[in-house]
Amino acid sequence: MALRGFQVTGYDLSAAMLAGAQESAEQTDAHIEWVRGDMRSLPANWTDTFDFVTLTLSEFGCFPDESDNQRVLTEVARVLKSGGRFLLDIVVNRDELILKGNRHDCIDGGEFFISDKGSLDILSGIYTRVFRWDEQGWRHETTWQIRAYTAPEVKRMLEQAGFRELSAYRNYAGDALTRDSAGMVFLAQK
């Protein structure tokens, strides 16, 4: 977007993620303002500032307390100008997780091995993925958790935050969202 002439601001809590993003932007000569902070409390001076906001790559639903996830949407609505648009990319769809059940995938690359196990706690709605990999004789493991929502739940949350026009898709190509869609893409307008 920055390379196409748009003024772009990148926002993240992780200093390491911001540093990596800045390095990538510099390699392409993209001019982007980088700001570090918590998405539950965007800067006060950003009220009615942006024409477009995106939230992508597993960020939505990362807070165990549902009110914190709702607060993220409320903050996005606050910083958007009237008529501004919001693209929300959610990588898990609870309906699809229930339909397909727990997962276990492995990749054996010869010199490396990666195991990915995913399971949904049906009562809490928390989806947990455990990644294990072997690298140079050492075993590593990391766990990732996210609250898995259904499309109607996300629609209700967006409306509660003040968004009025909503569209939902299976992917960025605009394919129809179905119960077996792995992810969900919402486009909402303030």
Side-chain angles (χ1 to χ4, degrees), residues 4-44:
R4 293 185 178 208
F6 292 92
Q7 183 179 349
V8 176
T9 302
Y11 191 82
D12 202 293
L13 183 59
S14 167
M17 291 295 283
L18 287 171
Q22 182 173 352
E23 184 178 314
S24 294
E26 288 171 357
Q27 290 174 1
T28 62
D29 201 30
H31 300 285
I32 299 173
E33 175 188 9
W34 301 102
V35 179
R36 184 169 183 244
D38 187 323
M39 65 182 162
R40 292 171 290 184
S41 183
L42 299 174

Side-chain angles (χ1 to χ4, degrees), residues 82-101:
S82 179
R85 293 184 178 255
F86 175 41
L87 177 82
L88 177 60
D89 177 12
I90 301 177
V91 297
V92 295
N93 170 1
R94 190 165 64 217
D95 284 342
E96 186 264 349
L97 293 172
I98 291 169
L99 283 172
K100 295 192 176 172

